[in-house]
Amino acid sequence: MNILELSEQEILRRQSLDELRQRGINPYPAAEYPTNAFSTEIIASFTDTPEGEEARQVCIAGRMMSRRVMGKASFIELQDSKGRIQVYVTRDDICLGEDKDLYNVFFKKLLDIGDFIGVKGIVFRTQTGEISVHARELTLLSKSLKPLPIVKYKDGVAYDKFDDPELRYRQRYVDLVVNEGVKDTFLQRATVIRTIRKVLDEAGYTEVETPTLQMIAGGASARPFTTHFNALDQDMYMRIATELYLKRLIVGGFEGVYEIGKNFRNEGMDRNHNPEFTCMELYVQYKDYNWMMSFTEKLLETVCIAVNGTTEREIDGQMVSFKAPYRRLPILDAIKEKTGFDCDGKTEEEIRAFCLSKGMEVDETMGKGKLIDELFGEFCEGTFIQPTFITDYPVEMSPLTKMHRSKPGLTERFELMVNGKELANAYSELNDPIDQEERFKEQMRLADKGDDEAMIIDQDFLRALQYGMPPTSGIGIGIDRLVMLMTGKTFIQEVLFFPQMKPEKKAPQSSIQEWAAIGVAEDWVYVLRKAGFYLVQDIKDEKAQGLQQKIGDIVKKYKLGYDKPSVTDVQGWIDRASLT
């Protein structure tokens, strides 16, 4: 990288880096730094009871987030993994001899905001009442070469915010450093997952792992990502669900199995969807979907208490209660309740005609199940704010679900709706291998009609069912959406460390070869870019003498030591640029 591609702040920091090394200070030491306290612990445990200095000695480390130099004394704010604490630094306390360079040069000039430093010192309370550490020793632990955006807080109000979502999600590492509360969201996410594991483990169920690369993308209706397995010279799919492999384990004799892992669906991105998402799937033998509804509402109540200390959470300005029990409503009743149209007993053509009468975009590729799903999504889904189990889906919508024991044409399936979105999907699992094969064949007929989300027949799964699977209930819960609900976030990107993003946009600029074509040497290309000329065409309207002056100013400012090109040379560049 040419130094002129850096910002002025970055250039100054690299100059400081070079000077540190010249002074024999390693800006990236390898040795352990023996910290023994965190900022929050120091503040929480401090008492004004007189103690000897030895009892109040601490060794802490973190980023320097601010610095106020007042002659021979200074204050800095140190941020560690738990919080922030003030550090008081005086020249004579860290420079015990006659040489004061450690304070005057190293501390005041060569350290920058964002650098990691270690501090050994004594805890005390300042005259203004702030618990602080009086430094006796400073150590540079890691030099920061890019300046952090500095968010200033006054009376609880943030100024100069780093709040552009594009930058925050793309540079999550910066977001975590400078924005209060971001780390807390991800600590709460960890609590959600930890609590789910605890509940499932205590119930006696086994956490397992199943393949991410699969020869058949099964277990859900979704468009998969494809990749190529070189060793087998075969195209493979990234899994869209873990269901079919987990049910193989129920066949194999496990009482209950669950997996918390990534699924991948080659679909759109919006505030509620990320193509790579985390899901928990659980399968338990000898249970049905009624048992699973009761288990799920108790699980979510436990999770909400663990995260929020209560069974309620404010989401989008509305208070949502996760206290069991939840409402249970058949899907056809929900559609009738919201539209007045009863889908029960209607043909595919009748349902399609009703959809068209409502101005919905439907076509001939959509079967009966897809049409009902579209109706529910259009008129019902967003209306269920409090947790509600939508039950008893038509068989066309549920190719892996057992037929309802008392309602012909329906299945024993539920989806849990919260805050207008699906959170969970569960079944009394289909364990009749002949029925399952027919359901798969119907899915293939939908695929032939153009449904690119229809399932493919998984012959090995059918073989497993033929060995016998006990009555089983299974559920999938979207972890990302659950975390959104438990933390009150309205965008899925807020609960993913690194959400999928569009490719980063870069300002267009002419290549080194394009500049060379008009006679500009590579060194001068970087100088011209620093002066604001990114494209060859950008210089065509410049005056030769003026452009030469701009070049000279940059050479001087950054002490490049180049001989300035002549006005004649510059005029030649301009003339040739005008011909491009």
Side-chain angles (χ1 to χ4, degrees):
M1 175 181 285
N2 188 288
I3 192 170
L4 294 180
E5 295 181 275
L6 303 173
S7 69
E8 191 164 342
Q9 279 274 353
E10 290 174 298
I11 291 171
L12 291 174
R13 286 177 181 237
R14 291 186 184 230
Q15 290 172 349
S16 296
L17 180 75
D18 291 340
E19 186 170 344
L20 285 167
R21 286 179 166 139
Q22 290 168 11
R23 289 174 172 270
I25 299 172
N26 184 353
Y28 304 105
E32 173 193 6
Y33 191 77
T35 59
N36 60 17
F38 291 105
S39 57
T40 51
E41 296 170 354
I42 293 171
I43 294 169
S45 63
F46 181 82
T47 65
D48 291 307
T49 305
E51 294 178 295
E53 283 197 358
E54 185 175 339
R56 292 184 284 114
Q57 287 183 351
V58 294
C59 179
I60 60 174
R63 284 187 189 270
M64 184 171 72
M65 298 302 292
S66 69
R67 174 174 50 192
R68 289 178 289 134
V69 177
M70 299 171 290
K72 298 178 183 179
S74 301
F75 287 97
I76 64 174
E77 189 175 35
L78 199 71
Q79 177 172 296
D80 61 19
S81 61
K82 305 291 186 182
R84 296 187 180 192
I85 192 167
Q86 180 173 267
V87 177
Y88 177 58
V89 183
T90 65
R91 186 192 67 181
D92 294 336
D93 281 324
I94 65 170
C95 305
L96 299 180
E98 294 297 320
D99 185 354
K100 305 300 181 183
D101 278 359
L102 183 61
Y103 181 82
N104 293 331
V105 179
F106 169 72
F107 174 74
K108 290 171 64 175
K109 298 180 180 179
L110 301 182
L111 288 186
D112 290 293
I113 303 302
D115 288 352
F116 282 90
I117 60 173
V119 176
K120 293 180 180 178
I122 309 299
V123 183
F124 76 111
R125 189 188 295 275
T126 66
Q127 291 181 352
T128 61
E130 185 167 354
I131 298 167
S132 307
V133 176
H134 189 156
R136 295 289 194 263
E137 183 181 310
L138 289 181
T139 304
L140 176 61
L141 300 177
S142 183
K143 183 70 181 166
S144 170
L145 298 183
K146 279 187 175 292
L148 289 168
I150 302 300
V151 181
K152 301 180 180 69
Y153 293 90
K154 185 176 181 180
D155 299 326
V157 179
Y159 298 89
D160 300 325
K161 291 182 181 178
F162 181 69
D163 58 2
D164 182 334
E166 174 81 10
L167 290 175
R168 287 185 56 232
Y169 304 152
R170 198 178 296 281
Q171 299 180 34
R172 182 67 83 187
Y173 37 87
V174 177
D175 187 33
L176 287 163
V177 172
V178 304
N179 285 328
E180 290 185 357
V182 175
K183 182 183 286 186
D184 292 338
T185 296
F186 290 98
L187 293 175
Q188 289 172 317
R189 181 187 177 102
T191 299
V192 169
I193 295 173
R194 185 167 55 248
T195 304
I196 290 173
R197 278 200 170 98
K198 183 173 184 289
V199 170
L200 298 182
D201 290 345
E202 288 179 352
Y205 308 139
T206 304
E207 183 172 9
V208 299
E209 295 174 296
T210 60
T212 299
L213 287 177
Q214 301 180 357
M215 292 188 179
I216 294 173
S221 297
R223 182 185 301 163
F225 285 94
T226 58
T227 186
H228 190 75
F229 196 153
N230 289 335
L232 297 178
D233 191 23
Q234 179 173 339
D235 286 340
M236 303 282 284
Y237 299 101
M238 303 290 283
R239 71 182 181 198
I240 58 175
T242 56
E243 176 169 347
L244 300 186
Y245 279 94
L246 291 174
K247 287 198 282 194
R248 285 169 168 90
L249 299 179
I250 295 295
V251 170
F254 280 88
E255 175 196 1
V257 291
Y258 73 94
E259 181 168 9
I260 300 173
K262 293 285 189 181
N263 290 339
F264 307 85
R265 297 185 182 177
N266 199 354
E267 298 165 351
M269 298 184 293
D270 59 33
R271 62 187 292 175
N272 293 298
H273 296 87
N274 195 66
E276 173 187 356
F277 63 97
T278 304
C279 188
M280 186 285 293
E281 290 200 40
L282 165 71
Y283 295 84
V284 186
Q285 63 181 3
Y286 308 126
K287 308 299 184 186
D288 66 4
Y289 79 141
N290 292 310
W291 175 89
M292 189 61 81
M293 279 187 262
S294 298
F295 184 85
T296 301
E297 60 195 8
K298 291 172 186 174
L299 171 65
L300 297 184
E301 181 179 332
T302 302
V303 169
C304 193
I305 293 171
V307 175
N308 297 299
T310 176
T311 59
E312 295 185 330
R313 173 75 215 195
E314 184 176 337
I315 306 167
D316 294 339
Q318 300 185 81
M319 194 62 69
V320 176
S321 174
F322 288 92
K323 185 172 180 58
Y326 304 159
R327 184 188 183 194
R328 304 181 184 190
L329 179 67
I331 187 172
L332 299 186
D333 290 354
I335 293 172
K336 185 177 179 180
E337 183 180 285
K338 301 299 180 182
T339 68
F341 181 74
D342 190 353
C343 296
D344 190 22
K346 297 293 191 298
T347 65
E348 179 181 315
E349 290 71 24
E350 288 173 318
I351 297 173
R352 183 179 292 107
F354 177 76
C355 292
L356 291 171
S357 74
K358 291 293 185 178
M360 296 173 60
E361 294 183 7
V362 297
D363 56 48
E364 296 299 320
T365 69
M366 295 181 179
K368 185 175 180 180
K370 186 77 169 178
L371 292 168
I372 291 174
D373 192 32
E374 291 292 313
L375 272 173
F376 182 80
E378 181 75 17
F379 296 104
C380 307
E381 183 173 328
T383 67
F384 296 106
I385 303 304
Q386 299 302 322
T388 304
F389 291 116
I390 303 299
T391 67
D392 304 344
Y393 284 68
V395 65
E396 295 88 351
M397 299 177 66
S398 313
L400 298 169
T401 313
K402 187 170 286 190
M403 294 295 292
H404 199 285
R405 67 195 77 174
S406 61
K407 298 178 182 179
L410 302 181
T411 60
E412 296 198 347
R413 172 187 175 188
F414 72 78
E415 288 186 340
L416 176 59
M417 299 293 161
V418 186
N419 198 40
K421 293 296 176 185
E422 175 198 343
L423 175 62
N425 188 18
Y427 317 142
S428 293
E429 300 294 336
L430 180 59
N431 61 344
D432 179 341
I434 297 173
D435 189 1
Q436 181 65 84
E437 185 172 11
E438 288 303 312
R439 304 272 194 97
F440 276 145
K441 288 178 179 177
E442 176 59 28
Q443 287 287 298
M444 295 305 292
R445 284 190 282 271
L446 290 174
D448 291 340
K449 289 175 64 175
D451 187 345
D452 58 4
E453 293 186 349
M455 291 190 198
I456 302 171
I457 296 178
D458 187 332
Q459 295 292 350
D460 181 68
F461 175 65
L462 289 175
R463 179 169 56 193
L465 285 187
Q466 289 167 13
Y467 281 102
M469 185 175 84
T472 298
S473 184
I475 189 170
I477 297 177
I479 295 296
D480 305 324
R481 285 194 184 174
L482 178 58
V483 175
M484 289 172 66
L485 295 169
M486 294 300 167
T487 59
K489 302 300 181 185
T490 55
F491 291 87
I492 196 171
Q493 291 82 5
E494 294 287 346
V495 301
L496 301 174
F497 271 129
F498 305 107
Q500 291 294 331
M501 303 288 290
K502 293 179 181 178
E504 193 168 358
K505 292 182 179 179
K506 295 184 178 180
Q509 59 183 28
S510 297
S511 66
I512 299 295
Q513 292 75 19
E514 288 172 310
W515 284 105
I518 66 165
V520 180
E522 182 173 343
D523 286 342
W524 293 121
V525 173
Y526 297 109
V527 175
L528 286 166
R529 288 175 180 168
K530 199 69 176 177
F533 302 103
Y534 298 102
L535 300 172
V536 168
Q537 293 83 357
D538 291 343
I539 68 169
K540 65 182 181 180
D541 296 324
E542 292 293 310
K543 301 295 184 184
Q545 192 164 355
L547 182 54
Q548 186 206 37
Q549 182 61 48
K550 291 177 182 178
I551 291 170
D553 290 345
I554 289 172
V555 169
K556 181 179 180 180
K557 179 178 181 178
Y558 294 102
K559 303 175 183 178
L560 299 177
Y562 300 165
D563 290 330
K564 198 166 53 172
S566 68
V567 173
T568 302
D569 288 338
V570 174
Q571 185 62 58
W573 300 348
I574 294 171
D575 292 342
R576 287 185 286 274
S578 300
L579 298 174
T580 60

